[in-house]
Short mmCIF file of all heavy atoms in Angstrom, two decimals:
data_model
loop_
_atom_site.label_atom_id
_atom_site.label_comp_id
_atom_site.label_asym_id
_atom_site.label_seq_id
_atom_site.Cartn_x
_atom_site.Cartn_y
_atom_site.Cartn_z
N MET A 1 0.84 -1.18 0.00
CA MET A 1 0.00 0.00 0.00
C MET A 1 0.88 1.23 0.00
O MET A 1 1.59 1.48 0.95
CB MET A 1 -0.84 0.00 1.26
CG MET A 1 -2.19 0.47 1.00
SD MET A 1 -3.55 -0.59 1.20
CE MET A 1 -3.18 -2.17 1.71
N ASN A 2 0.89 1.92 -1.09
CA ASN A 2 1.79 3.07 -1.14
C ASN A 2 1.20 4.13 -2.07
O ASN A 2 1.13 3.94 -3.27
CB ASN A 2 3.16 2.64 -1.64
CG ASN A 2 4.13 3.78 -1.63
OD1 ASN A 2 3.80 4.88 -1.19
ND2 ASN A 2 5.33 3.54 -2.12
N PHE A 3 0.73 5.22 -1.47
CA PHE A 3 0.16 6.28 -2.29
C PHE A 3 1.19 7.38 -2.51
O PHE A 3 0.90 8.39 -3.13
CB PHE A 3 -1.11 6.83 -1.64
CG PHE A 3 -2.21 5.83 -1.64
CD1 PHE A 3 -2.38 4.96 -0.58
CD2 PHE A 3 -3.05 5.71 -2.72
CE1 PHE A 3 -3.38 4.01 -0.59
CE2 PHE A 3 -4.06 4.76 -2.74
CZ PHE A 3 -4.22 3.91 -1.67
N ASP A 4 2.38 7.16 -1.98
CA ASP A 4 3.46 8.09 -2.24
C ASP A 4 3.95 7.84 -3.64
O ASP A 4 4.03 6.71 -4.08
CB ASP A 4 4.62 7.83 -1.27
CG ASP A 4 4.58 8.77 -0.09
OD1 ASP A 4 3.97 9.84 -0.23
OD2 ASP A 4 5.15 8.41 0.95
N GLU A 9 8.22 9.01 -10.38
CA GLU A 9 6.86 9.50 -10.63
C GLU A 9 6.73 10.97 -10.25
O GLU A 9 6.12 11.76 -10.97
CB GLU A 9 5.84 8.66 -9.86
CG GLU A 9 5.62 7.27 -10.46
CD GLU A 9 4.98 6.27 -9.49
OE1 GLU A 9 4.72 6.64 -8.32
OE2 GLU A 9 4.75 5.13 -9.90
N ARG A 261 -14.68 19.85 -3.78
CA ARG A 261 -14.07 21.17 -3.59
C ARG A 261 -15.01 22.27 -4.11
O ARG A 261 -15.10 23.35 -3.53
CB ARG A 261 -12.74 21.26 -4.34
CG ARG A 261 -11.63 20.51 -3.65
CD ARG A 261 -10.29 20.77 -4.35
NE ARG A 261 -9.20 20.17 -3.63
CZ ARG A 261 -8.87 18.89 -3.72
NH1 ARG A 261 -9.57 18.06 -4.47
NH2 ARG A 261 -7.86 18.41 -3.02
N ILE A 278 -21.82 26.45 4.69
CA ILE A 278 -20.77 25.51 5.11
C ILE A 278 -20.85 25.25 6.62
O ILE A 278 -20.40 24.23 7.09
CB ILE A 278 -19.37 26.07 4.72
CG1 ILE A 278 -18.24 25.09 5.03
CG2 ILE A 278 -19.06 27.39 5.41
CD1 ILE A 278 -17.97 24.13 3.97
N ARG A 284 -22.93 19.74 6.54
CA ARG A 284 -21.63 19.12 6.84
C ARG A 284 -21.74 17.59 6.87
O ARG A 284 -20.85 16.88 6.42
CB ARG A 284 -21.08 19.65 8.16
CG ARG A 284 -20.76 21.12 8.09
CD ARG A 284 -20.38 21.67 9.44
NE ARG A 284 -18.96 21.47 9.73
CZ ARG A 284 -18.00 22.22 9.25
NH1 ARG A 284 -18.27 23.21 8.43
NH2 ARG A 284 -16.75 22.00 9.58
N GLU A 285 -22.85 17.12 7.41
CA GLU A 285 -23.02 15.66 7.46
C GLU A 285 -23.15 15.10 6.04
O GLU A 285 -22.56 14.09 5.69
CB GLU A 285 -24.25 15.32 8.30
CG GLU A 285 -24.20 13.93 8.85
CD GLU A 285 -25.20 13.70 9.98
OE1 GLU A 285 -25.23 14.51 10.93
OE2 GLU A 285 -25.93 12.73 9.90
N ALA A 288 -19.74 14.97 4.32
CA ALA A 288 -18.88 13.86 4.72
C ALA A 288 -19.22 12.60 3.91
O ALA A 288 -18.33 11.91 3.41
CB ALA A 288 -19.03 13.59 6.21
N ASP A 289 -20.51 12.34 3.77
CA ASP A 289 -20.91 11.17 3.00
C ASP A 289 -20.51 11.30 1.53
O ASP A 289 -20.07 10.35 0.89
CB ASP A 289 -22.43 10.94 3.11
CG ASP A 289 -22.79 10.23 4.41
OD1 ASP A 289 -21.98 9.42 4.89
OD2 ASP A 289 -23.88 10.50 4.95
N TYR A 291 -18.03 13.05 0.38
CA TYR A 291 -16.57 12.99 0.25
C TYR A 291 -16.06 11.55 0.22
O TYR A 291 -15.19 11.23 -0.60
CB TYR A 291 -15.89 13.77 1.38
CG TYR A 291 -14.40 13.59 1.37
CD1 TYR A 291 -13.60 14.31 0.49
CD2 TYR A 291 -13.78 12.68 2.23
CE1 TYR A 291 -12.24 14.13 0.46
CE2 TYR A 291 -12.41 12.50 2.21
CZ TYR A 291 -11.64 13.22 1.32
OH TYR A 291 -10.28 13.03 1.28
N VAL A 292 -16.59 10.70 1.08
CA VAL A 292 -16.05 9.33 1.09
C VAL A 292 -16.34 8.62 -0.24
O VAL A 292 -15.54 7.81 -0.70
CB VAL A 292 -16.51 8.45 2.29
CG1 VAL A 292 -16.04 9.07 3.60
CG2 VAL A 292 -18.00 8.24 2.31
N ASP A 293 -17.44 8.97 -0.88
CA ASP A 293 -17.71 8.40 -2.21
C ASP A 293 -16.76 8.97 -3.25
O ASP A 293 -16.19 8.25 -4.07
CB ASP A 293 -19.16 8.69 -2.64
CG ASP A 293 -20.15 7.74 -1.96
OD1 ASP A 293 -19.73 6.98 -1.07
OD2 ASP A 293 -21.34 7.78 -2.32
N GLU A 295 -13.88 10.27 -2.83
CA GLU A 295 -12.53 9.79 -2.55
C GLU A 295 -12.39 8.33 -3.02
O GLU A 295 -11.37 7.95 -3.58
CB GLU A 295 -12.28 9.91 -1.04
CG GLU A 295 -10.89 9.66 -0.57
CD GLU A 295 -9.84 10.60 -1.14
OE1 GLU A 295 -10.17 11.51 -1.94
OE2 GLU A 295 -8.68 10.40 -0.81
N LEU A 299 -9.68 6.75 -5.52
CA LEU A 299 -8.80 5.67 -5.08
C LEU A 299 -9.03 4.39 -5.87
O LEU A 299 -8.09 3.66 -6.16
CB LEU A 299 -8.99 5.42 -3.58
CG LEU A 299 -8.62 6.61 -2.69
CD1 LEU A 299 -9.11 6.39 -1.26
CD2 LEU A 299 -7.11 6.84 -2.70
N ARG A 303 -6.59 1.80 -8.05
CA ARG A 303 -6.51 0.35 -7.98
C ARG A 303 -6.54 -0.25 -9.39
O ARG A 303 -5.81 -1.17 -9.70
CB ARG A 303 -7.64 -0.23 -7.15
CG ARG A 303 -7.39 -1.72 -6.93
CD ARG A 303 -8.37 -2.34 -6.00
NE ARG A 303 -9.70 -2.33 -6.58
CZ ARG A 303 -10.77 -2.75 -5.92
NH1 ARG A 303 -10.65 -3.18 -4.70
NH2 ARG A 303 -11.94 -2.73 -6.49
N THR A 306 -3.20 0.16 -10.70
CA THR A 306 -2.26 -0.80 -10.13
C THR A 306 -2.36 -2.12 -10.88
O THR A 306 -1.35 -2.71 -11.24
CB THR A 306 -2.55 -1.01 -8.63
OG1 THR A 306 -2.49 0.24 -7.97
CG2 THR A 306 -1.55 -1.95 -8.00
N LEU A 323 -20.89 3.76 -11.43
CA LEU A 323 -22.14 3.98 -10.70
C LEU A 323 -21.99 5.08 -9.65
O LEU A 323 -22.84 5.96 -9.52
CB LEU A 323 -22.49 2.69 -9.96
CG LEU A 323 -23.71 1.94 -10.39
CD1 LEU A 323 -23.77 0.61 -9.68
CD2 LEU A 323 -24.96 2.73 -10.09
N GLU A 376 -28.88 0.18 -13.44
CA GLU A 376 -29.44 -1.17 -13.26
C GLU A 376 -28.56 -2.22 -13.93
O GLU A 376 -28.34 -3.31 -13.38
CB GLU A 376 -30.87 -1.24 -13.83
CG GLU A 376 -31.90 -0.44 -13.03
CD GLU A 376 -31.80 1.08 -13.23
OE1 GLU A 376 -31.18 1.52 -14.22
OE2 GLU A 376 -32.33 1.83 -12.39
N LYS A 379 -25.49 -2.75 -11.90
CA LYS A 379 -25.75 -3.59 -10.73
C LYS A 379 -25.88 -5.06 -11.13
O LYS A 379 -25.46 -5.95 -10.39
CB LYS A 379 -27.00 -3.11 -9.99
CG LYS A 379 -26.76 -1.80 -9.26
CD LYS A 379 -27.96 -1.38 -8.45
CE LYS A 379 -27.75 0.04 -7.93
NZ LYS A 379 -28.92 0.52 -7.16
N ASN A 380 -26.47 -5.29 -12.28
CA ASN A 380 -26.52 -6.68 -12.76
C ASN A 380 -25.12 -7.23 -12.95
O ASN A 380 -24.82 -8.37 -12.59
CB ASN A 380 -27.26 -6.76 -14.10
CG ASN A 380 -28.76 -6.85 -13.92
OD1 ASN A 380 -29.25 -6.97 -12.80
ND2 ASN A 380 -29.50 -6.80 -15.01
N ILE A 382 -22.34 -6.30 -11.48
CA ILE A 382 -21.70 -6.56 -10.19
C ILE A 382 -22.27 -7.84 -9.57
O ILE A 382 -21.54 -8.71 -9.12
CB ILE A 382 -21.90 -5.36 -9.24
CG1 ILE A 382 -21.09 -4.17 -9.74
CG2 ILE A 382 -21.49 -5.72 -7.82
CD1 ILE A 382 -21.40 -2.86 -9.05
N ALA A 383 -23.60 -7.95 -9.59
CA ALA A 383 -24.24 -9.11 -8.96
C ALA A 383 -23.82 -10.41 -9.65
O ALA A 383 -23.52 -11.40 -8.99
CB ALA A 383 -25.76 -8.96 -9.00
N GLU A 384 -23.76 -10.37 -10.98
CA GLU A 384 -23.50 -11.62 -11.70
C GLU A 384 -22.02 -11.92 -11.82
O GLU A 384 -21.58 -13.04 -11.58
CB GLU A 384 -24.14 -11.56 -13.09
CG GLU A 384 -25.68 -11.55 -13.01
CD GLU A 384 -26.35 -11.21 -14.33
OE1 GLU A 384 -25.71 -11.37 -15.39
OE2 GLU A 384 -27.52 -10.78 -14.31
N VAL A 386 -19.29 -10.21 -10.36
CA VAL A 386 -18.43 -10.08 -9.19
C VAL A 386 -18.92 -11.02 -8.08
O VAL A 386 -18.14 -11.75 -7.49
CB VAL A 386 -18.37 -8.63 -8.67
CG1 VAL A 386 -17.43 -8.52 -7.49
CG2 VAL A 386 -17.93 -7.67 -9.79
N LEU A 387 -20.23 -10.99 -7.81
CA LEU A 387 -20.75 -11.79 -6.70
C LEU A 387 -21.15 -13.21 -7.12
O LEU A 387 -21.42 -14.04 -6.27
CB LEU A 387 -21.94 -11.08 -6.06
CG LEU A 387 -21.65 -9.68 -5.49
CD1 LEU A 387 -22.91 -9.03 -4.94
CD2 LEU A 387 -20.58 -9.75 -4.41
N PRO A 390 -26.95 -15.70 -10.05
CA PRO A 390 -27.42 -16.18 -11.36
C PRO A 390 -27.79 -15.03 -12.29
O PRO A 390 -28.21 -13.97 -11.84
CB PRO A 390 -28.69 -16.98 -11.00
CG PRO A 390 -28.62 -17.24 -9.54
CD PRO A 390 -27.82 -16.12 -8.94
N ASP A 392 -30.05 -13.03 -15.07
CA ASP A 392 -31.51 -12.87 -15.19
C ASP A 392 -32.06 -13.95 -16.10
O ASP A 392 -31.37 -14.44 -16.98
CB ASP A 392 -31.84 -11.50 -15.80
CG ASP A 392 -31.67 -10.38 -14.78
OD1 ASP A 392 -31.33 -10.69 -13.62
OD2 ASP A 392 -31.88 -9.22 -15.15
N ILE A 393 -33.29 -14.31 -15.85
CA ILE A 393 -33.94 -15.29 -16.73
C ILE A 393 -34.06 -14.68 -18.12
O ILE A 393 -34.52 -13.54 -18.26
CB ILE A 393 -35.34 -15.62 -16.18
CG1 ILE A 393 -35.15 -16.18 -14.78
CG2 ILE A 393 -36.10 -16.53 -17.15
CD1 ILE A 393 -35.81 -17.47 -14.48
N MET B 1 3.48 4.28 -6.66
CA MET B 1 2.09 4.17 -6.20
C MET B 1 1.62 2.72 -6.32
O MET B 1 1.82 2.10 -7.34
CB MET B 1 1.24 5.08 -7.08
CG MET B 1 -0.11 5.27 -6.52
SD MET B 1 -1.03 6.63 -7.20
CE MET B 1 -0.07 7.34 -8.50
N ASN B 2 1.07 2.21 -5.26
CA ASN B 2 0.58 0.82 -5.31
C ASN B 2 -0.64 0.69 -4.39
O ASN B 2 -0.56 0.94 -3.21
CB ASN B 2 1.67 -0.15 -4.87
CG ASN B 2 1.17 -1.58 -4.89
OD1 ASN B 2 0.21 -1.90 -5.59
ND2 ASN B 2 1.78 -2.43 -4.10
N PHE B 3 -1.76 0.34 -4.98
CA PHE B 3 -3.00 0.30 -4.23
C PHE B 3 -3.34 -1.13 -3.87
O PHE B 3 -4.34 -1.67 -4.30
CB PHE B 3 -4.11 0.91 -5.10
CG PHE B 3 -5.40 1.13 -4.38
CD1 PHE B 3 -5.66 2.37 -3.83
CD2 PHE B 3 -6.33 0.13 -4.23
CE1 PHE B 3 -6.84 2.60 -3.16
CE2 PHE B 3 -7.52 0.35 -3.56
CZ PHE B 3 -7.77 1.59 -3.02
N ASP B 4 -2.49 -1.78 -3.13
CA ASP B 4 -2.79 -3.17 -2.78
C ASP B 4 -1.83 -3.61 -1.68
O ASP B 4 -0.82 -2.97 -1.43
CB ASP B 4 -2.62 -4.07 -4.01
CG ASP B 4 -3.53 -5.29 -3.94
OD1 ASP B 4 -4.12 -5.52 -2.87
OD2 ASP B 4 -3.63 -5.99 -4.95
N TYR B 5 -2.17 -4.72 -1.05
CA TYR B 5 -1.23 -5.36 -0.15
C TYR B 5 -0.09 -5.94 -0.98
O TYR B 5 -0.29 -6.34 -2.13
CB TYR B 5 -1.92 -6.51 0.60
CG TYR B 5 -2.96 -6.12 1.63
CD1 TYR B 5 -4.30 -6.44 1.44
CD2 TYR B 5 -2.59 -5.48 2.80
CE1 TYR B 5 -5.26 -6.11 2.40
CE2 TYR B 5 -3.54 -5.15 3.76
CZ TYR B 5 -4.87 -5.47 3.57
OH TYR B 5 -5.80 -5.16 4.51
N ARG B 249 -24.73 -13.56 -0.01
CA ARG B 249 -24.58 -14.10 -1.36
C ARG B 249 -24.77 -15.62 -1.36
O ARG B 249 -25.53 -16.18 -2.14
CB ARG B 249 -23.19 -13.72 -1.91
CG ARG B 249 -22.96 -14.00 -3.37
CD ARG B 249 -22.24 -15.32 -3.64
NE ARG B 249 -21.25 -15.72 -2.67
CZ ARG B 249 -19.97 -15.39 -2.71
NH1 ARG B 249 -19.52 -14.63 -3.69
NH2 ARG B 249 -19.13 -15.82 -1.79
N ARG B 260 -37.07 -20.75 -8.07
CA ARG B 260 -35.69 -20.41 -8.47
C ARG B 260 -34.93 -19.77 -7.30
O ARG B 260 -35.55 -19.33 -6.33
CB ARG B 260 -35.70 -19.51 -9.70
CG ARG B 260 -36.57 -18.28 -9.62
CD ARG B 260 -36.32 -17.46 -10.90
NE ARG B 260 -37.25 -16.40 -11.13
CZ ARG B 260 -36.88 -15.16 -11.47
NH1 ARG B 260 -35.61 -14.85 -11.55
NH2 ARG B 260 -37.78 -14.24 -11.73
N GLY B 263 -31.42 -15.42 -5.26
CA GLY B 263 -30.34 -14.60 -5.83
C GLY B 263 -30.52 -14.32 -7.31
O GLY B 263 -29.75 -13.57 -7.89
N GLN B 266 -33.84 -9.68 -9.24
CA GLN B 266 -33.07 -8.43 -9.29
C GLN B 266 -33.14 -7.64 -7.99
O GLN B 266 -32.18 -6.95 -7.63
CB GLN B 266 -33.56 -7.55 -10.42
CG GLN B 266 -32.80 -7.81 -11.69
CD GLN B 266 -33.01 -6.72 -12.71
OE1 GLN B 266 -33.79 -5.79 -12.50
NE2 GLN B 266 -32.33 -6.85 -13.81
N LYS B 269 -30.42 -9.12 -6.17
CA LYS B 269 -29.13 -8.87 -6.84
C LYS B 269 -28.71 -7.41 -6.67
O LYS B 269 -27.56 -7.11 -6.38
CB LYS B 269 -29.25 -9.20 -8.33
CG LYS B 269 -29.24 -10.70 -8.62
CD LYS B 269 -29.74 -11.03 -10.00
CE LYS B 269 -28.73 -10.67 -11.08
NZ LYS B 269 -29.15 -11.21 -12.40
N HIS B 270 -29.64 -6.51 -6.90
CA HIS B 270 -29.29 -5.09 -6.84
C HIS B 270 -29.00 -4.63 -5.41
O HIS B 270 -28.13 -3.80 -5.17
CB HIS B 270 -30.39 -4.24 -7.48
CG HIS B 270 -30.41 -4.39 -8.98
ND1 HIS B 270 -31.12 -3.56 -9.80
CD2 HIS B 270 -29.77 -5.26 -9.79
CE1 HIS B 270 -30.94 -3.92 -11.06
NE2 HIS B 270 -30.14 -4.96 -11.07
N ASP B 274 -25.50 -3.09 -4.25
CA ASP B 274 -25.37 -1.85 -3.46
C ASP B 274 -24.44 -2.07 -2.27
O ASP B 274 -23.62 -1.22 -1.94
CB ASP B 274 -26.74 -1.38 -2.96
CG ASP B 274 -27.56 -0.72 -4.06
OD1 ASP B 274 -26.96 -0.21 -5.02
OD2 ASP B 274 -28.81 -0.71 -3.95
N PHE B 276 -22.10 -4.30 -2.10
CA PHE B 276 -20.74 -4.42 -2.66
C PHE B 276 -20.12 -3.04 -2.88
O PHE B 276 -18.96 -2.80 -2.54
CB PHE B 276 -20.78 -5.20 -3.98
CG PHE B 276 -19.46 -5.19 -4.70
CD1 PHE B 276 -18.44 -6.06 -4.32
CD2 PHE B 276 -19.23 -4.31 -5.76
CE1 PHE B 276 -17.22 -6.05 -4.98
CE2 PHE B 276 -18.01 -4.30 -6.42
CZ PHE B 276 -17.00 -5.17 -6.03
N ILE B 277 -20.92 -2.12 -3.43
CA ILE B 277 -20.39 -0.78 -3.72
C ILE B 277 -20.00 -0.07 -2.42
O ILE B 277 -18.93 0.53 -2.33
CB ILE B 277 -21.42 0.03 -4.52
CG1 ILE B 277 -21.50 -0.52 -5.93
CG2 ILE B 277 -21.05 1.51 -4.54
CD1 ILE B 277 -22.69 -0.04 -6.71
N ARG B 278 -20.86 -0.17 -1.40
CA ARG B 278 -20.52 0.44 -0.09
C ARG B 278 -19.23 -0.17 0.46
O ARG B 278 -18.41 0.52 1.05
CB ARG B 278 -21.64 0.23 0.92
CG ARG B 278 -22.83 1.14 0.80
CD ARG B 278 -22.52 2.58 1.12
NE ARG B 278 -22.91 3.37 -0.03
CZ ARG B 278 -22.23 4.40 -0.51
NH1 ARG B 278 -21.12 4.80 0.05
NH2 ARG B 278 -22.63 5.03 -1.57
N GLU B 280 -16.81 -1.43 -1.30
CA GLU B 280 -15.70 -0.92 -2.10
C GLU B 280 -15.29 0.48 -1.65
O GLU B 280 -14.12 0.82 -1.61
CB GLU B 280 -16.08 -0.88 -3.59
CG GLU B 280 -16.12 -2.24 -4.25
CD GLU B 280 -14.75 -2.86 -4.39
OE1 GLU B 280 -14.02 -2.50 -5.32
OE2 GLU B 280 -14.40 -3.71 -3.54
N VAL B 281 -16.31 1.28 -1.32
CA VAL B 281 -16.03 2.63 -0.82
C VAL B 281 -15.26 2.53 0.51
O VAL B 281 -14.28 3.24 0.73
CB VAL B 281 -17.34 3.44 -0.65
CG1 VAL B 281 -17.09 4.74 0.10
CG2 VAL B 281 -17.97 3.73 -2.02
N ALA B 284 -11.63 1.31 -0.24
CA ALA B 284 -10.78 2.36 -0.82
C ALA B 284 -10.33 3.33 0.28
O ALA B 284 -9.14 3.65 0.39
CB ALA B 284 -11.54 3.10 -1.91
N ASN B 285 -11.26 3.76 1.10
CA ASN B 285 -10.91 4.74 2.13
C ASN B 285 -10.06 4.11 3.23
O ASN B 285 -9.17 4.77 3.78
CB ASN B 285 -12.18 5.37 2.71
CG ASN B 285 -12.77 6.42 1.78
OD1 ASN B 285 -12.23 7.52 1.65
ND2 ASN B 285 -13.86 6.09 1.11
N TYR B 287 -7.87 1.59 2.83
CA TYR B 287 -6.52 1.41 2.28
C TYR B 287 -5.75 2.74 2.34
O TYR B 287 -4.57 2.76 2.65
CB TYR B 287 -6.58 0.93 0.82
CG TYR B 287 -6.82 -0.55 0.63
CD1 TYR B 287 -7.41 -1.31 1.63
CD2 TYR B 287 -6.44 -1.19 -0.54
CE1 TYR B 287 -7.64 -2.67 1.43
CE2 TYR B 287 -6.66 -2.54 -0.74
CZ TYR B 287 -7.27 -3.28 0.25
OH TYR B 287 -7.48 -4.62 0.05
N TYR B 288 -6.44 3.78 1.98
CA TYR B 288 -5.78 5.09 2.02
C TYR B 288 -5.37 5.41 3.46
O TYR B 288 -4.27 5.91 3.71
CB TYR B 288 -6.73 6.16 1.47
CG TYR B 288 -6.06 7.48 1.19
CD1 TYR B 288 -5.01 7.56 0.28
CD2 TYR B 288 -6.48 8.65 1.82
CE1 TYR B 288 -4.39 8.78 0.01
CE2 TYR B 288 -5.86 9.87 1.55
CZ TYR B 288 -4.82 9.92 0.64
OH TYR B 288 -4.22 11.12 0.38
N TRP B 291 -2.27 3.48 4.46
CA TRP B 291 -1.06 4.14 3.96
C TRP B 291 -0.70 5.35 4.83
O TRP B 291 0.45 5.53 5.22
CB TRP B 291 -1.27 4.57 2.50
CG TRP B 291 -0.24 5.53 2.03
CD1 TRP B 291 1.04 5.23 1.64
CD2 TRP B 291 -0.37 6.95 1.93
NE1 TRP B 291 1.71 6.39 1.31
CE2 TRP B 291 0.87 7.46 1.47
CE3 TRP B 291 -1.42 7.85 2.18
CZ2 TRP B 291 1.08 8.82 1.26
CZ3 TRP B 291 -1.21 9.19 1.98
CH2 TRP B 291 0.03 9.67 1.52
N ALA B 306 -12.40 9.73 7.07
CA ALA B 306 -13.05 9.15 5.89
C ALA B 306 -13.16 7.64 6.03
O ALA B 306 -14.20 7.04 5.73
CB ALA B 306 -12.28 9.53 4.62
N ASN B 313 -20.59 3.12 7.63
CA ASN B 313 -21.72 3.05 6.68
C ASN B 313 -21.81 1.66 6.05
O ASN B 313 -22.89 1.08 5.94
CB ASN B 313 -21.53 4.07 5.54
CG ASN B 313 -21.75 5.51 6.00
OD1 ASN B 313 -22.22 5.75 7.11
ND2 ASN B 313 -21.40 6.46 5.15
N ARG B 355 -21.93 10.07 13.20
CA ARG B 355 -22.35 11.47 13.15
C ARG B 355 -21.22 12.40 13.61
O ARG B 355 -20.93 13.43 13.00
CB ARG B 355 -23.55 11.62 14.09
CG ARG B 355 -24.32 12.87 14.05
CD ARG B 355 -25.63 12.66 14.82
NE ARG B 355 -25.37 12.40 16.24
CZ ARG B 355 -25.36 13.36 17.17
NH1 ARG B 355 -25.59 14.60 16.84
NH2 ARG B 355 -25.13 13.06 18.43
N LYS B 358 -18.46 12.37 11.06
CA LYS B 358 -18.79 13.17 9.87
C LYS B 358 -18.48 14.64 10.14
O LYS B 358 -17.99 15.35 9.27
CB LYS B 358 -20.26 12.98 9.50
CG LYS B 358 -20.53 11.63 8.88
CD LYS B 358 -21.98 11.44 8.52
CE LYS B 358 -22.21 10.00 8.06
NZ LYS B 358 -23.61 9.73 7.77
N ASP B 363 -14.79 19.18 9.20
CA ASP B 363 -13.79 20.14 9.72
C ASP B 363 -12.46 19.98 8.98
O ASP B 363 -11.82 20.95 8.61
CB ASP B 363 -13.51 19.87 11.22
CG ASP B 363 -14.71 20.22 12.09
OD1 ASP B 363 -15.65 20.84 11.57
OD2 ASP B 363 -14.69 19.85 13.29
N LEU B 365 -11.89 18.63 6.06
CA LEU B 365 -11.97 19.03 4.65
C LEU B 365 -11.80 20.53 4.51
O LEU B 365 -11.10 21.02 3.63
CB LEU B 365 -13.32 18.61 4.05
CG LEU B 365 -13.46 17.14 3.71
CD1 LEU B 365 -14.88 16.86 3.23
CD2 LEU B 365 -12.46 16.75 2.66
N GLU B 366 -12.46 21.24 5.42
CA GLU B 366 -12.34 22.70 5.39
C GLU B 366 -10.88 23.13 5.58
O GLU B 366 -10.38 24.01 4.89
CB GLU B 366 -13.18 23.30 6.52
CG GLU B 366 -14.45 23.94 6.04
CD GLU B 366 -15.14 24.68 7.18
OE1 GLU B 366 -15.31 24.08 8.26
OE2 GLU B 366 -15.46 25.84 6.98
N GLU B 372 -4.83 24.36 0.92
CA GLU B 372 -4.54 24.38 -0.52
C GLU B 372 -4.58 25.80 -1.06
O GLU B 372 -3.82 26.17 -1.94
CB GLU B 372 -5.57 23.53 -1.27
CG GLU B 372 -5.33 22.05 -1.13
CD GLU B 372 -6.48 21.22 -1.67
OE1 GLU B 372 -7.53 21.80 -2.03
OE2 GLU B 372 -6.32 20.01 -1.74
#
Side-chain angles (χ1 to χ4, degrees):
Chain A
M1 219 116 0
N2 183 4
F3 292 91
D4 263 337
E9 286 161 358
R261 285 187 174 80
I278 185 87
R284 295 173 85 79
E285 202 164 310
D289 279 328
Y291 173 79
V292 298
D293 282 7
E295 189 60 1
L299 297 168
R303 189 173 66 184
T306 303
L323 247 172
E376 291 75 18
K379 288 184 189 179
N380 275 354
I382 291 169
E384 292 168 21
V386 182
L387 300 178
D392 283 359
I393 301 231
Chain B
M1 192 164 4
N2 179 23
F3 189 95
D4 208 350
Y5 290 114
R249 189 263 325 270
R260 52 174 168 133
Q266 269 195 356
K269 284 164 74 171
H270 288 192
D274 284 335
F276 172 80
I277 289 166
R278 281 293 124 220
E280 287 291 280
V281 170
N285 283 287
Y287 279 23
Y288 192 60
W291 166 78
N313 288 350
R355 191 167 64 93
K358 286 180 187 176
D363 291 349
L365 283 176
E366 255 188 310
E372 284 170 352

